[in-house]
Amino acid sequence: MTPPGTMVPSATQPGATDLAGLHHALDGWFAESARELPWRSPDCSPWGILVSEVMLQQTPVVRVLPVWEDWMQRWPTPAHLAKEPAGEAVRHWGRLGYPRRALRLHAAAVAIQEQHGGAVPGTHHELLSLPGVGDYTAAAVAAFAYGQRETVVDTNIRRVHARLVSGHALPAQSLTAAEMRLAEALLPHDTSLSVRWNASVMELGAVVCTARSPKCAECPVRASCAWLAAGEPPPSYTPKGQAWHGTDRQVRGAVMAVLREADAPVPREMFEHAPADLGFAPSGVGVPLAALHRLNSAPQQLGRALDGLLRDGLAELHDGGLQLPA
DNA sequence: GATCCGTGGTA
DNA sequence: TTACCAAGGAT
């Protein structure tokens, strides 16, 4: 067994891996072929970077781009968003998914305004205290917005480390202490290089070292890859899928689609029974309401979904109807 | 630590 | 078509 705290690439692959060489190779690759994303622009504000990181949680870049652009134009600073009702953040979250993120981003904007003088805080500790900001997002914002040396560990970085260094097809099913130690051991000591290293490993995982059918022929560090050297062994477990059809989540999503389109409280009966004349419904909700009814979910399930949304603060009762939070 | 939380593209 | 998967966080 490798003693804790001493796990370095050279201990795993004696003589096979030159850490500085890896740093240089990925740094060059990133400079040459990284995607140009607006939140990577030198003029992107810390607020823009924070918004992008939250939107990118479990959500692909291509779907984040248009919503991020809309948000930045609409709310260029935390103060702009903090002045709005929380429901506006949810409404303009659109179909990004996990709408609680919009709620928390709004709460984060309020906290930034009230507790940080309107400026996104720059330390990992302060960032971590913001709603919706966990260890990954705090590290990412500290690194990418404030240039700090942070151990950034996301799903892409975990997968690259698993393959490149550990020789596994996939990382462990949950983030382990050993993975954090490895990430720390791999992080360049130079602060500026460490920021680019975090970004480049993440980019490699997103574009080349993908979960399914990785493009190893295009990989700038394939010669050092422990997984390739081992003959691409298969994963030691089969990932369990995320159920969707027939779940409460599906019903919640359909209800949220109705609320986003509504310009007035939607009577609760409208969620349970298709009104003979949708003219009685708030304008615009006809299509999402029909989609909800098409699910034909049991009254008990619909009840659970509505209660859950109220409990989570994604919906509120007004005049006997549901609407986005004020 | 396991579970819950949206949505849509892709193999 | 079904199932996997995507820059996680909160409980």
Side-chain angles (χ1 to χ4, degrees):
Chain A
M1 263 319 189
T2 306
T6 62
M7 173 78 91
V8 293
S10 58
T12 303
Q13 295 276 297
T17 305
D18 170 21
L19 195 45
L22 276 183
H23 293 160
H24 180 76
L26 271 189
D27 205 46
W29 172 80
F30 187 75
E32 179 69 22
S33 55
R35 294 168 294 178
E36 282 190 24
L37 302 173
W39 44 85
R40 285 178 177 164
S41 162
D43 9 290
C44 185
S45 67
W47 169 242
I49 291 174
L50 172 60
V51 171
S52 79
E53 290 298 345
V54 174
M55 288 184 172
L56 286 163
Q57 291 167 4
Q58 300 287 284
T59 308
V61 166
V62 289
R63 290 180 37 219
V64 166
L65 280 169
V67 182
W68 185 88
E69 297 283 3
D70 178 57
W71 270 53
M72 286 302 100
Q73 183 159 7
R74 191 178 298 273
W75 303 308
T77 71
H80 287 91
L81 179 58
K83 282 187 295 192
E84 298 269 5
E88 284 306 289
V90 176
R91 189 186 309 279
H92 292 283
W93 196 252
R95 305 186 66 80
L96 273 190
Y98 292 149
R100 289 186 293 189
R101 292 183 291 168
L103 220 46
R104 291 174 179 144
L105 209 35
H106 178 271
V110 171
I112 290 167
Q113 184 70 1
E114 294 182 348
Q115 301 169 26
H116 299 280
V120 176
T123 70
H124 186 108
H125 178 75
E126 290 173 309
L127 287 161
L128 198 54
S129 74
L130 297 174
V133 175
D135 198 58
Y136 161 75
T137 302
V141 172
F144 302 139
Y146 292 103
Q148 296 180 39
R149 184 175 181 274
E150 293 278 330
T151 305
V152 180
V153 178
D154 78 323
T155 188
N156 288 310
I157 290 176
R158 294 182 63 211
R159 187 174 53 252
V160 170
H161 290 173
R163 290 180 182 156
L164 184 63
V165 179
S166 306
H168 301 142
L170 296 174
Q173 293 184 268
S174 60
L175 180 58
T176 66
E179 285 181 84
M180 287 305 295
R181 285 197 301 272
L182 175 58
E184 289 165 10
L186 293 173
L187 192 67
H189 288 102
D190 178 78
T191 298
S192 176
L193 180 59
S194 75
V195 172
R196 303 197 302 275
W197 167 257
N198 283 323
S200 61
V201 176
M202 206 178 308
E203 180 79 354
L204 187 74
V207 175
V208 174
C209 196
T210 51
R212 289 176 295 185
S213 28
K215 304 172 177 66
C216 298
E218 304 173 18
C219 181
V221 291
R222 60 185 177 279
S224 308
C225 182
W227 182 60
L228 277 181
E232 305 183 37
S236 56
Y237 62 92
T238 57
K240 60 177 298 190
Q242 308 161 340
W244 175 247
H245 289 286
T247 63
D248 290 2
R249 297 166 80 171
Q250 186 183 28
V251 179
R252 284 172 58 114
V255 171
M256 288 305 299
V258 173
L259 298 184
R260 280 197 306 270
E261 299 304 319
D263 56 5
V266 182
R268 184 166 180 140
E269 309 82 59
M270 287 200 175
F271 296 102
E272 296 158 354
H273 315 287
D277 182 359
L278 284 179
F280 289 110
S283 62
V285 303
V287 170
L289 206 48
L292 171 64
H293 291 141
R294 217 173 298 126
L295 296 179
N296 199 22
S297 55
Q300 192 173 6
Q301 183 176 41
L302 182 61
R304 278 199 309 273
L306 295 179
D307 290 347
L309 292 174
L310 290 168
R311 166 179 45 81
D312 291 344
L314 284 166
E316 292 178 353
L317 277 172
H318 288 266
D319 303 324
L322 270 73
Q323 66 171 43
L324 296 179

